[in-house]
Amino acid sequence: MQKLIIKGKKELSGKISISGSKNATLPILAASILAEHAIIKNIPLVKDIFTMVDLLNFIGLKTKLIKKNNVIEIYNKSKNINTLAPYKLVKTMRAGVLVLGSLLTKYKKAKVSLPGGCAIGTRPVDLHLFALKKFGAKIKIKDGYIIAKARSGLKGANIRFPSISVGATENALLAAFKAKGKTVLKNCAIEPEIIDLIKFLKKLGANIHVKGRSISISESKKKTSSVLHKVIFDRIELGTYMIASTLLAKKNLVIDKIDPKIIQREINILKKIGIKIIQKKNSIIVKKREKLKKISITTKPYPGFPTDLQAQLMVLLTQVKGKSKIKEDIFENRFMHVPELRRMGAQIEIKNKTAIITGPTKLTGAEVMATDLRASVSLVLAGLIAENRTIINRIYHLDRGYESLERKLKNCKAEIQRI
Ligand code: EPZ
C-alpha cells in the first residue's frame, strides 16, 4: 500500500499545468462506442481512465493509448461486440455505467453491472434507468446487473429529470444519439464536462442545442464515423491548485493550460474569500494572500459551487478568521475528510449536512487516511500547510483522479514523496 509523505510549510513558486478533465474523458470514451474511429487528445493518465479503456477493450473496441502524448486512438469496426460491462470493471469505476446508453442505442441491448455505492454515498442509478425507459428500453435488474433491451431501437422522447444528475444526463445524451426522431431533455446537468461530451457528439453528426437546463437532440443527415477531439482541462484539478497556491505561494503561482472563463463562477467565489487572481487568456496567476474572509457556501450543480471542490475549500477555510460554513447538498456522506483534518488540528463541527469551520487554526502533521478521491487531495493540501510531516495512507484514491500530483507539486518546490 503506497503512502505520501509531505513536509509542510514549504513555499510554492513556479508553474503548474492542468491536465485534461477525467470527468469529461470518461463519458467521451463511452461515446467512442458510437464512432468507428476516434482520436481523443489531452486525456489525463489516471486510474479511472485506464479502467474505462479496459472496459472498451472488453466490449471489443480496439484501443491504442499513447501515454507520452496523452492521446488515445479507438477503432470500433468489429462485428462481434460484447454488449457487457462486467462487475469487476464497473465496481472500481462507477462511470462504467455510462456505456449503457451507447450500447443500447447502437446495439439495441446491454448488460451492465450496477455500479454500487462508494465512500461518498449510495450512488443510485435510478435516474439513468428512468430516462432509458422513456426511450422505450425494456430494463430489468437481475443478479446485480442492469439488463436493457430495445429490439426495435430507441425512440426519441421528451424527458424531464426529477432531479439534476450528471451521469443520468450523459447516459440520456448517449442514448438519444441514435434514437429515432427528436429528443428533448429537461432539468439537465450542464457541467462543462457535459458540454464537452456534446461537442464530441456534434462532431459525430448529432444536432444538439442547449438552452438553460434543456437539451434537444436530433439525428443529422451528415453522419460521420471518425472524430478528433481534445478534452477540456480539469476544472476541479485547477480549483485544487488555486487553493494550494493561495495558502502557500511564495509571491504568486502561475497555473496554465486552462480557459478561465469556464470556471468563472468558482473563480468569483474564491475571489470573494479574498484570493487575488489575475486572469490571462490560457492561464491565471494566484497571488499569496494573508487577509482572507470567511464565507458560507452550499454545494450545487453547475454553475453552483462544485461538490468536488468542497473538501479542498474546507482546508482553505481552516486558515480563515471566523466561522465559515459549507453545506454539502449533493452527496449524503461527503465529509469523511473531516475526522482526518481534525486530527491535524482543524476545528470543524458538523451539524446535519453543514460543516462549520473555525479559523484560523494551526495544522500539525499527522498520519492520516484517504477515503475518497477529493477527500484525499484535501489531506495533501492540509499536509502542505501543516507543521512537520504528514503521512497519507491509501493514496490509490488519489491516483484515480490526479495525474502526476507529486511531480506537479515538486516542480513548485513542495517537499512531497511517494513510498
Ligand atoms: C459525477 O458523478 C462526477 N463523476 C462526480 O465526480 C461529481 O461529484 C458528481 O457528478 C456531481 O457533480 C463523474 O463525472 C465520473 P450525479 P455522478 O448523478 O454522475 C443522486 C469525482 O470526484 N443520483 O450528478 O454520479 C446522487 O446520489 C466524482 O470525480 C440519484 O439519486 O453524480 C447524488 O446525490 C465524485 N439517482 C446526486 O444525484 C441517479 O440515478 C448527484 O449525482 C443518479 C444520481
Side-chain angles (χ1 to χ4, degrees):
M1 195 82 87
Q2 293 190 326
K3 301 178 178 194
L4 274 183
I5 300 190
I6 301 171
K7 179 114 183 52
K9 300 200 93 55
K10 295 281 165 219
E11 289 194 320
L12 303 182
S13 61
K15 184 169 86 170
I16 291 186
S17 291
I18 299 300
S19 302
S21 160
K22 161 181 89 80
N23 291 351
T25 304
L26 291 169
I28 285 171
L29 286 173
S32 67
I33 294 172
L34 302 169
E36 282 183 13
H37 174 237
I39 294 177
I40 305 166
K41 302 165 88 168
N42 195 32
I43 62 168
L45 302 179
V46 295
K47 183 101 181 48
D48 273 7
I49 300 304
F50 303 143
T51 310
M52 186 61 128
V53 172
D54 290 347
L55 177 53
L56 296 183
N57 291 331
F58 180 92
I59 290 169
L61 278 69
K62 297 282 164 280
T63 60
K64 202 166 79 191
L65 181 56
I66 309 144
K67 287 192 175 181
K68 64 179 178 9
N69 305 336
N70 292 76
V71 172
I72 185 165
E73 186 160 16
I74 303 172
Y75 290 92
N76 178 10
K77 291 186 172 131
S78 60
K79 290 286 157 272
N80 51 352
I81 284 290
N82 183 359
T83 57
L84 166 68
Y87 176 66
K88 67 177 185 326
L89 288 172
V90 178
K91 77 171 182 322
T92 53
M93 204 275 306
R94 304 184 58 268
V97 75
L98 292 174
V99 301
L100 184 56
S102 298
L103 292 173
L104 199 49
T105 201
K106 184 164 183 180
Y107 303 107
K108 304 185 173 39
K109 66 184 171 81
K111 181 176 176 185
V112 173
S113 167
L114 277 167
C118 71
I120 63 177
T122 51
R123 312 296 294 276
V125 289
D126 55 309
L127 295 171
H128 298 235
L129 305 183
F130 156 83
L132 295 176
K133 284 179 191 154
K134 293 275 185 187
F135 283 106
K138 294 275 170 284
I139 306 253
K140 73 174 192 294
I141 306 286
K142 194 163 171 297
D143 309 331
Y145 276 82
I146 301 162
I147 300 171
K149 285 194 178 61
R151 283 196 206 299
S152 49
L154 296 180
K155 286 184 292 307
N158 287 325
I159 303 170
R160 166 176 286 283
F161 286 104
S163 65
I164 295 171
S165 158
V166 170
T169 302
E170 290 166 345
N171 242 329
L173 280 166
L174 295 166
F177 183 75
K178 289 180 82 72
K180 278 187 223 46
K182 185 176 177 185
T183 291
V184 178
L185 306 174
K186 289 195 180 330
N187 199 28
C188 296
I190 47 171
E191 270 65 3
E193 296 75 33
I194 291 182
I195 305 304
D196 208 35
L197 169 64
I198 287 172
K199 263 171 78 175
F200 184 86
L201 293 173
K202 280 179 165 177
K203 289 178 184 174
L204 274 178
N207 277 328
I208 305 181
H209 298 282
V210 182
K211 192 165 179 302
R213 287 195 181 280
S214 294
I215 305 175
S216 66
I217 309 109
S218 53
E219 273 198 276
S220 81
K221 300 300 154 256
K222 61 173 186 69
K223 268 269 174 278
T224 51
S225 56
S226 183
V227 55
L228 169 66
H229 186 77
K230 181 174 182 244
V231 172
I232 55 162
F233 70 95
D234 192 316
R235 66 191 165 99
I236 303 303
E237 186 192 17
L238 169 62
T240 305
Y241 288 124
M242 282 169 72
I243 288 169
S245 17
T246 302
L247 292 166
L248 289 154
K250 193 180 174 104
K251 282 196 323 305
N252 60 47
L253 211 94
V254 178
I255 308 179
D256 74 353
K257 292 175 81 178
I258 60 163
D259 169 2
K261 287 188 305 303
I262 288 193
I263 72 149
Q264 196 54 60
R265 302 276 179 144
E266 288 95 324
I267 287 180
N268 293 346
I269 287 167
L270 294 175
K271 279 182 173 172
K272 233 169 96 181
I273 303 176
I275 298 178
K276 190 135 180 52
I277 299 162
I278 300 160
Q279 292 182 219
K280 310 257 180 193
K281 190 167 173 304
N282 291 320
S283 67
I284 54 172
I285 299 171
V286 182
K287 290 197 162 305
K288 178 163 175 83
R289 297 282 289 169
E290 303 309 333
K291 292 243 8 86
L292 294 171
K293 291 191 288 296
K294 65 183 172 43
I295 191 170
S296 284
I297 204 145
T298 302
T299 60
K300 286 269 171 250
Y302 190 87
F305 190 83
T307 172
D308 289 351
L309 269 182
Q310 177 254 105
Q312 300 89 315
L313 178 68
M314 193 179 286
V315 175
L316 174 64
L317 295 174
T318 63
Q319 304 307 304
V320 173
K321 193 168 175 331
K323 282 187 183 307
S324 295
K325 288 186 184 144
I326 304 181
K327 185 174 180 202
E328 172 52 60
D329 221 16
I330 304 283
F331 288 110
E332 65 265 34
N333 183 29
R334 201 168 197 176
F335 282 143
M336 267 88 52
H337 42 289
V338 172
E340 300 305 306
L341 293 175
R342 280 193 189 122
R343 295 184 56 244
M344 297 175 73
Q347 276 184 37
I348 307 169
E349 54 178 313
I350 295 178
K351 280 209 181 81
N352 305 327
K353 298 161 68 166
T354 302
I356 299 145
I357 305 108
T358 306
T361 44
K362 189 165 71 66
L363 300 184
T364 48
E367 178 144 13
V368 290
M369 188 172 72
T371 49
D372 67 275
L373 169 56
R374 309 301 173 182
S376 42
V377 87
S378 73
L379 298 177
V380 172
L381 292 180
L384 290 169
I385 56 174
E387 307 273 333
N388 315 325
R389 242 175 34 144
T390 296
I391 300 173
I392 304 176
N393 293 295
R394 300 194 182 177
I395 54 170
Y396 56 84
H397 290 291
L398 263 178
D399 298 336
R400 289 188 48 196
Y402 284 88
E403 184 180 38
S404 328
L405 178 122
E406 302 104 86
R407 180 173 55 74
K408 293 186 179 185
L409 284 171
K410 266 186 199 151
N411 289 349
C412 296
K413 313 261 185 321
E415 242 186 80
I416 177 169
Q417 62 179 26
R418 180 183 290 246
I419 51 165

